[in-house]
Amino acid sequence: MAKSASFPKPDHDHSRCSASALRKAETICAARKVRLTDIRRDVLEIVWKSHVPVGAYDILAQLNADGGRTAPMAVYRALEFLMENGLVHRLASLNAFIGCAHLNAESGEGHHAAQFLICRACGTAAELESAPLTRALTQAVAERGFTIDSQIVEISGLCPHCAAL
Ligand SMILES: [Zn+2]
Ligand SMILES: [Zn+2]
Ligand SMILES: [Zn+2]
């Protein structure tokens, strides 16, 4: 996989993205001896339905679409688990969730610094995870004596496809 993947094209075969993400999630959970329960897996699948971040209530609505009775708390707990294990990111500017595009079964790392490009037209969010950018930011922040809890940079604008329209 390319280090800096290009912006997801509207016509790409997304079933491959989601299938690969779910496979990696299973490997990661197995390696950590944590359980990818049905609800956690269902939530992850919904998050991976597209590259457009999805809110907790949308997830709940999709889970219960065929008459299910999943409670909001169960969705929040599942999202909490998925975030703790680095499988999804929360985008604060949208209050929505997106699958991590840089799952690495070998590294065993959970949280990681990430930069997201968020298209204001189509809603697609692409993860950069640029190591030089992360280093530069970490250093600039450290120089100010600030301790980082989490580092997600959200950049809004137009993706190449919407810009070309
Ligand atoms: Zn995709
Ligand atoms: Zn990520
Ligand atoms: Zn766009």
Side-chain angles (χ1 to χ4, degrees):
M1 190 169 56
K3 260 249 157 71
S4 54
S6 60
F7 214 87
K9 291 191 174 62
D11 59 352
H12 75 286
D13 180 4
H14 184 67
S15 62
R16 291 179 58 189
C17 303
S18 49
S20 143
L22 284 161
R23 252 197 329 272
K24 283 184 193 160
E26 270 165 12
T27 312
I28 289 170
C29 288
R32 295 209 188 141
K33 300 185 168 52
V34 292
R35 269 174 31 90
L36 192 62
T37 55
D38 286 347
I39 172 95
R40 291 167 176 172
R41 201 196 144 85
D42 290 348
V43 169
L44 186 63
E45 247 186 279
I46 291 170
V47 168
W48 266 105
K49 270 194 178 159
S50 77
H51 294 282
V52 177
V54 59
Y57 271 88
D58 283 340
I59 296 172
L60 183 67
Q62 290 189 53
L63 272 175
N64 289 337
D66 43 13
R69 286 162 173 266
T70 305
M73 254 338 270
V75 173
Y76 284 117
R77 276 199 300 263
L79 284 167
E80 204 62 48
F81 169 88
L82 295 170
M83 282 191 290
E84 264 166 29
N85 286 283
L87 302 174
V88 307
H89 293 291
R90 179 174 173 272
L91 298 181
S93 65
L94 303 169
N95 193 16
F97 301 87
I98 181 132
C100 177
H102 295 96
L103 296 179
N104 188 341
E106 284 85 54
S107 81
E109 252 178 71
H111 298 274
H112 68 84
Q115 300 86 33
F116 278 92
L117 307 179
I118 305 167
C119 179
R120 65 174 142 81
C122 67
T124 298
E127 188 171 346
L128 274 182
E129 203 196 18
S130 156
L133 199 52
T134 300
R135 267 198 302 279
L137 263 174
T138 306
Q139 196 190 333
V141 169
E143 280 166 5
R144 283 153 184 83
F146 191 87
T147 310
I148 296 177
D149 285 335
S150 74
Q151 195 195 113
I152 306 253
V153 177
E154 302 175 26
I155 301 165
S156 72
L158 273 181
C159 79
H161 314 292
C162 293
L165 291 178

